[in-house]
Amino acid sequence: MAGNGRRKLVFDFHEGNRDMKDLLGGKGANLAEMTNIGLPVPPGFTTTTEACLSYLDRGTFPEGLMDEVDEHLERLEGTMGKKLGDDADPLLVSVRSGAKFSMPGMMDTVLNLGLNDKSVQGLAKQSSDERFAWDSYRRFVQMFGKIVLDIPGDRFEEALDRAKAKKGEAAKDTDLTAEDLRELTDEFKEIVRKETGEDFPHQPRQQLEKAIEAVFRSWNGARAVAYRRQNKISDALGTAVNVVAMVFGNMGEDSGTGVAFTRNPATGEKEPYGDYLPNAQGEDVVAGIRNTLKLTELAEIDPKSWEELRRGMDILEKHYRDMCDIEFTIERGKLWFLQTRVGKRTALAEWVMAHDMWQEGLIGREEGLLRLDPNRLEQLFKPVIEAGHKQKEKPATKGLNASPGAAVGRVVFTADGAEEWAERGEKVILVRRETTPDDYHGMIRSQGILTSAGGTNSHAAVVARGEGIPAVCGADQIRIQRAAKAFTVDGSNVQEGDWVTIDGTDGTVYLKQLDLEDPPLARAVAGDEAARREKIWKAFRAFMELADQKRRLRVRANADTPDQASNARARGAEGIGLCRTEHMFLGEERVAAVREMIFADTPEEEEAALASLLPLQRGDFVGIFEAMDGLPVTVRLLDPPLHEFLPNHVDLAVAVAVAEERHESEVVVRDEKIPLEEARDVLRKVEELHEANPMLGLRGVRLGIVKPGLYAMQVRAIVEAACDRVEAGGHPEVEIMIPLVATQEELRQMREELEPAAREVLVRRRVELPLHWGTMIELPRASVVAGEIAEVADFFSFGTNDLTQTAWGFSRDDIGKFLGMYEERKLVRANPFVTIDRPGVGRLMEMAVGAGKAVNPALHIGICGEHGGDPDSVVFCHEILLDYVSCSPYRIETARLAAGQAALGAAEAASK
């Protein structure tokens, strides 16, 4: 506790540890941990996340914050033997953000704080390097101006570009002399005066207070909010602020800065990986101002620092029992560790590292399983450039392989442009010199990212790897002409909208649209023996086998065709949880038969139309039952309203009116010619079936009641197909699902009408086959009266798509128009059509499970909405004791992994 009984708001590094991330943020907690285990860390202190939240709530610092900052600053000055901003020998500090969860580049940092017109002279004298001092000062004015004073960064960048241009076309910032930098600093200060109407602040204590406030504010910056929303990080955490004594990598060629990973974050291989930049400060590496060197080149440049770095990397990986991402600076041959955290990695690297660390004994197999992110598993199946193209096509240029995977798209040059083009349905590649955090919204809408500058730890690379977006960085042969919206490379001119292909696995760039193909894991799953020799396949098998051993939930597929069913089974599906029969009515012959049924004037005509549909339906079911032989197949009887099989009401009415006005004998509707009299008949029927709200109209069980012959035909087709499989030696397991039931009586009457039709087929075919009858729970009323419905049901399957629509009153097709605003204003926690809304829809599900099981303990319950493939929703289904989830065939592995983790996590929690 601080004085007067207040909670302590500031901690020295030696007072914290890695378990204090909630209070000190990840960066502060890890700086404290590195200090405590004896690594060389510059001294400093951390203001807590609670201080930040108080500031954001009240708009002012919490009582006593700056008093505590002053106390800790005095201790820091005592440790360093220097005073902040002293004229003769100044202490300089960095002010860095640090939330509980890593948000690279999303919040703000200020370096070299404490410099002013007098202390820069003292720094020059003490360092014996006037150029270094003025370089540090111009950096400070630039960062402070942009971050603290909200001056557009381009103002400073343009001035810097002009200064470099005076030195020559290819000049770098390192070519600027001390006098150049002095003049540039004066120009920067003039920019501050013009933009703010005030002089640049020279009092170090005032600089520090303003910088802390700016970092607090950055928690609610647009890019930070967008990142949290994308990565499902709570807005209620706040950020800590770390005030750290500066060490300088820009003091000459015996100094430098870098980022190191203890393993390769792109491939997972156990090898040092990262970037190093001599004579630079840390922001230079991530900003892409200069192209970096490979980390391993440090061994030649500075062998002593390299060995110390390798030793520290080994200590940290063993201490954290994970791959570590490390920021470091070398100041005149002295190595300093500035930050560490468990490093972000690609989906591929995540699996390879977990497997290798288990094999090395660093972690257990179960811990390795829990480290895998099921939301990213699909990335392992991302396309790569088709092998034939890869061999014969010559790349136009090559950059750094920053984030794996291949991407094809049209070139755009701004983040806003990427977002706009993506909104139109275009696939885009965002091309930039380098990206900044302000580009985040466009980056996540792009198929791939291509930059002409920056290294493998630049902002573009870090974001791309985290979001699973292919990226090539540092392709320095590319010359971007922003005004012309074009770039040139290898003698070619590429305009906005032109097609390019990038390969983030090897860094190649092609100025054309190339075909893509499945990656090694996808081929391995499909049985490719060469692909099965690769490390990712071994990791995938080991952890998926463990997930399957641990999980209680079964995983089925939503599949409507034999091909889909076969694909799902190959991916590990344990049956079909939803076979939608409406998809079987597509095709000219089938639609014609359905229309004959709709237009039938007599029972005999309707029966004849249904009879023509029966063999077509039976053939579909035979293939599905064969693909899923020995596993349950849940067939949903026709659900959508009949008008969906007829022409659009408005289109048809307009076409008829036009034909009548022109005295034409035929009507054209969507390229189909219909005689005018027939078109009039169709229009009358369409108008008869037209509903104001068809989603809540004549569909599902209501359709079965109004058109009993339709469901009876489907049941006969299902059972006859099952009999065909039995006679062929198969073992079909048939579940017949009646949709949109709201009352017990609806299901009871349907069963009374349909079970005799099924029994007639079984008797006639002399086949013994148990049939299971159930319903979709997709209406709030059905959830509330589930106990009554369960008395006449063998199984329930939650149709969470419609249950979410009817519980929220949202249209799944229209929610996109306002969902972003709802999320921004925290009116919804997340898109309820992606992740189950636990308090609302989830509560309805819990009620239905409890009531149903209470009256019918043998009741089998699953879920077949799109939520069945969402990892968070799978965890919820495990918690409420569903028996299975059903999802798209391409999400089967994701659901299996999430179900295994849910069971393992629940077991671990229960044992504690």
Side-chain angles (χ1 to χ4, degrees):
M1 300 289 286
N4 301 321
R6 288 185 286 101
R7 284 178 63 85
K8 189 175 172 67
L9 297 173
V10 184
F11 290 76
D12 278 338
F13 290 165
H14 69 268
E15 297 177 301
N17 60 63
R18 67 176 177 178
D19 296 324
M20 297 174 69
K21 290 182 180 178
D22 286 323
L23 189 64
L24 303 181
K27 187 175 295 181
N30 288 329
L31 281 166
E33 190 74 12
M34 288 195 296
T35 299
N36 293 334
I37 64 175
L39 290 175
V41 177
F45 55 86
T46 303
T47 70
T48 65
T49 56
E50 291 177 353
C52 171
L53 294 172
S54 175
Y55 170 82
L56 295 174
D57 181 48
R58 301 178 184 180
T60 59
F61 285 150
E63 182 185 354
L65 173 64
M66 290 312 296
D67 291 337
E68 287 191 51
V69 167
D70 288 339
E71 291 174 15
H72 286 266
L73 177 60
E74 188 175 342
R75 289 184 207 166
L76 177 59
E77 289 173 333
T79 300
M80 299 299 293
K82 300 180 180 184
K83 292 284 187 181
L84 181 67
D86 183 72
D87 292 353
D89 186 12
L91 168 67
L92 304 183
V93 297
S94 63
V95 180
R96 301 172 181 265
S97 62
K100 177 181 180 180
F101 299 109
S102 175
M103 296 170 56
M106 297 300 123
M107 291 181 294
D108 291 330
T109 293
V110 178
L111 303 180
N112 306 331
L113 188 142
L115 282 171
N116 55 35
D117 289 349
K118 292 182 179 180
S119 60
V120 68
Q121 303 292 347
L123 182 63
K125 183 178 180 181
Q126 291 299 323
S127 64
S128 301
D129 190 338
E130 189 177 12
R131 186 198 179 280
F132 153 71
W134 283 102
D135 185 44
S136 299
Y137 192 14
R138 73 90 184 165
R139 291 171 184 269
F140 173 51
V141 176
Q142 181 175 358
M143 296 182 79
F144 196 93
K146 178 183 177 183
I147 292 165
V148 180
L149 303 178
D150 291 323
I151 298 170
D154 286 349
R155 296 295 312 278
F156 299 106
E157 288 294 336
E158 289 164 2
L160 177 59
D161 287 344
R162 287 194 297 271
K164 289 190 291 186
K166 292 179 182 177
K167 293 292 185 179
E169 184 177 346
K172 302 176 182 177
D173 56 340
T174 51
D175 295 318
L176 299 178
T177 66
E179 184 58 33
D180 295 330
L181 292 165
R182 184 200 304 268
E183 293 174 1
L184 184 59
T185 303
D186 288 340
E187 187 174 353
F188 281 1
K189 287 188 291 183
E190 185 60 29
I191 290 171
V192 170
R193 187 178 297 110
K194 287 181 178 178
E195 292 287 335
T196 67
E198 297 179 0
D199 288 335
F200 185 82
H202 286 284
Q203 291 297 326
R205 173 61 167 67
Q206 182 189 16
Q207 294 173 354
L208 180 59
E209 184 171 342
K210 285 181 174 291
I212 292 172
E213 185 177 17
V215 175
F216 283 167
R217 286 199 312 267
S218 72
W219 176 255
N220 282 336
R223 63 181 187 262
V225 171
Y227 185 90
R228 291 199 296 273
R229 187 179 303 151
Q230 177 77 8
N231 292 277
K232 299 182 179 179
I233 297 172
S234 170
D235 290 331
L237 298 176
T239 181
V241 177
N242 302 285
V243 179
V244 189
M246 282 295 303
V247 290
F248 298 96
N250 59 330
M251 294 189 76
E253 292 305 314
D254 60 350
S255 304
T257 188
V259 177
F261 291 85
T262 57
R263 301 189 188 218
N264 189 314
T267 66
E269 293 299 324
K270 189 176 182 179
E271 59 188 13
Y273 179 94
D275 298 320
Y276 181 68
L277 199 55
N279 196 16
Q281 287 197 314
E283 293 302 304
D284 296 341
V285 176
V286 296
I289 292 170
R290 278 189 276 147
N291 284 349
T292 57
L293 304 177
K294 289 184 178 179
L295 178 68
T296 50
E297 293 183 53
L298 180 60
E300 297 294 327
I301 298 169
D302 186 348
K304 176 177 173 289
S305 295
W306 171 249
E307 288 304 317
E308 291 176 0
L309 177 63
R310 287 300 307 274
R311 199 158 43 246
M313 292 168 69
D314 190 51
I315 289 170
L316 286 170
E317 180 167 287
K318 288 177 179 175
H319 186 75
Y320 282 89
R321 298 169 55 252
D322 207 341
M323 183 268 279
C324 291
D325 169 359
I326 301 160
E327 292 182 17
F328 66 94
T329 285
I330 299 170
E331 180 182 284
R332 291 181 170 170
K334 167 68 175 174
L335 174 69
W336 295 94
F337 288 83
L338 304 185
Q339 179 180 344
T340 192
R341 59 192 170 203
V342 171
K344 291 186 179 295
R345 61 208 73 180
T346 64
L348 171 67
E350 183 174 82
W351 284 75
V352 171
M353 284 184 202
H355 182 265
D356 284 354
M357 289 179 183
W358 162 48
Q359 293 290 305
E360 294 162 16
L362 191 61
I363 61 174
R365 187 181 179 194
E366 292 184 354
E367 183 177 353
L369 175 65
L370 290 174
R371 286 187 177 184
L372 304 173
D373 183 355
N375 282 297
R376 303 209 302 166
L377 178 53
E378 281 186 289
Q379 293 178 22
L380 296 180
F381 295 88
K382 280 193 169 184
V384 296
I385 296 174
E386 193 270 327
H389 285 310
K390 196 70 177 173
Q391 291 169 4
K392 71 179 182 181
E393 294 289 348
K394 180 184 177 183
T397 189
K398 186 172 183 179
L400 301 172
N401 51 331
S403 183
V408 181
R410 297 180 182 275
V411 169
V412 295
F413 291 94
T414 67
D416 289 343
E419 189 171 49
E420 291 167 9
W421 284 58
E423 288 286 346
R424 302 200 301 262
E426 295 280 3
K427 294 182 177 181
V428 300
I429 304 293
L430 178 61
V431 181
R432 304 279 281 160
R433 183 178 184 277
E434 67 267 345
T435 64
T436 72
D438 294 330
D439 294 322
Y440 180 74
H441 63 289
M443 297 171 75
I444 59 176
R445 299 301 301 273
S446 303
Q447 300 295 309
I449 297 164
L450 170 62
T451 70
S452 61
T456 53
N457 286 289
S458 63
H459 176 265
V462 171
V463 171
R465 284 199 296 268
E467 302 296 346
I469 303 168
V472 174
C473 294
D476 55 10
Q477 293 182 16
I478 288 177
R479 297 289 180 266
I480 296 175
Q481 300 152 3
R482 285 182 291 182
K485 292 187 177 180
F487 74 79
T488 58
V489 63
D490 194 31
S492 298
N493 186 272
V494 180
Q495 301 287 328
E496 185 166 73
D498 288 349
W499 286 94
V500 297
T501 301
I502 66 169
D503 190 339
T505 304
D506 65 8
T508 50
V509 179
Y510 304 83
L511 305 184
K512 59 174 62 177
Q513 185 178 7
L514 299 182
D515 293 333
L516 306 181
E517 67 178 4
D518 289 333
L521 184 56
R523 298 199 306 272
V525 169
D528 185 311
E529 288 303 321
R532 291 190 170 190
R533 289 193 289 270
E534 298 196 23
K535 187 178 286 187
I536 181 58
W537 173 243
K538 296 175 183 176
F540 181 77
R541 284 189 62 190
F543 289 120
M544 292 305 295
E545 286 173 2
L546 180 60
D548 289 338
Q549 291 168 15
K550 296 293 181 181
R551 65 185 168 89
R552 179 188 57 76
L553 279 171
R554 300 299 91 194
V555 178
R556 300 190 191 180
N558 300 340
D560 309 327
T561 68
D563 285 346
Q564 290 177 359
S566 297
N567 180 28
R569 187 160 192 165
R571 291 174 172 269
E574 296 158 304
I576 291 178
L578 176 63
C579 176
R580 292 160 286 213
T581 55
E582 56 266 24
H583 291 178
M584 299 175 182
F585 286 97
L586 302 177
E588 189 174 335
E589 181 181 4
R590 300 176 187 222
V591 169
V594 173
R595 288 182 180 177
E596 285 181 19
M597 176 198 70
I598 294 171
F599 285 100
D601 293 321
T602 66
E604 290 77 16
E605 289 178 356
E606 182 176 302
E607 189 173 332
L610 291 170
S612 67
L613 281 169
L614 190 148
L616 301 174
Q617 287 253 285
R618 181 177 59 218
D620 293 324
F621 292 128
V622 168
I624 291 171
F625 289 143
E626 182 177 3
M628 284 290 170
D629 195 57
L631 297 174
V633 175
T634 304
V635 182
R636 182 180 72 185
L637 302 183
L638 192 66
D639 184 36
L642 290 178
H643 82 268
E644 291 194 8
F645 297 97
L646 297 174
N648 177 272
H649 178 219
V650 174
D651 291 345
L652 183 58
V654 169
V656 168
V658 168
E660 289 175 339
E661 184 175 337
R662 296 175 177 175
H663 305 290
E664 295 173 343
S665 61
E666 290 184 322
V667 171
V668 179
V669 181
R670 293 186 179 178
D671 299 325
E672 181 183 359
K673 288 186 177 181
I674 307 173
L676 180 58
E677 275 308 308
E678 183 181 336
R680 286 172 176 151
D681 290 339
V682 172
L683 180 59
R684 280 191 292 271
K685 197 66 179 180
V686 169
E687 289 173 340
E688 179 185 320
L689 293 172
H690 178 72
E691 296 176 298
N693 190 348
M695 194 197 86
L696 300 178
L698 183 60
R699 53 169 287 215
V701 66
R702 304 158 195 170
L703 185 60
I705 290 170
V706 173
K707 290 275 189 183
L710 177 60
Y711 273 12
M713 177 276 294
Q714 287 195 289
V715 167
R716 283 194 292 271
I718 293 165
V719 178
E720 287 193 4
C723 290
D724 288 349
R725 284 300 303 145
V726 171
E727 291 171 358
H731 302 85
E733 295 186 21
V734 181
E735 299 177 350
I736 298 174
M737 183 159 66
I738 298 168
L740 213 70
V741 163
T743 72
Q744 181 200 70
E745 196 63 16
E746 284 175 321
L747 183 58
R748 186 187 65 77
Q749 289 191 24
M750 277 285 89
R751 287 193 66 167
E752 287 179 352
E753 291 181 19
L754 298 176
E755 287 187 84
R759 196 160 41 248
E760 183 276 326
V761 174
L762 293 174
V763 170
R764 174 165 46 83
R765 298 287 293 269
R766 297 181 181 179
V767 170
E768 290 286 335
L769 182 69
L771 301 176
H772 302 279
W773 302 81
T775 185
M776 290 186 81
I777 302 296
E778 50 191 330
L779 296 172
R781 188 184 195 281
S783 297
V784 174
V785 300
E788 297 175 12
I789 297 173
E791 293 176 359
V792 294
D794 300 323
F795 67 88
F796 284 167
S797 180
F798 287 104
T800 48
N801 300 336
D802 275 354
L803 186 58
T804 299
Q805 290 197 97
T806 50
W808 276 95
F810 286 159
S811 164
R812 181 175 50 173
D813 298 325
D814 298 321
I815 191 175
K817 296 174 182 177
F818 57 85
L819 177 63
M821 180 180 292
Y822 262 56
E823 289 182 320
E824 183 177 334
R825 296 180 62 171
K826 301 179 178 62
L827 298 172
V828 294
R829 296 181 181 181
N831 186 339
F833 292 103
V834 173
T835 299
I836 289 172
D837 158 45
R838 289 192 178 212
V841 174
R843 180 71 185 113
L844 290 172
M845 294 172 67
E846 287 183 276
M847 290 169 56
V849 171
K853 290 279 191 180
V855 301
N856 184 355
L859 189 71
H860 202 65
I861 307 179
I863 177 177
C864 62
E866 290 299 317
H867 297 96
D870 170 62
D872 289 342
S873 301
V874 171
V875 171
F876 177 70
C877 292
H878 172 87
E879 292 171 356
I880 65 171
L881 302 179
L882 296 195
D883 296 295
Y884 69 87
V885 297
S886 187
C887 59
S888 157
Y890 294 99
R891 298 283 283 174
I892 293 294
E893 294 92 347
T894 297
R896 288 165 56 199
L897 177 60
Q901 290 178 330
L904 186 56
E908 285 196 357
S911 67
K912 292 180 180 178

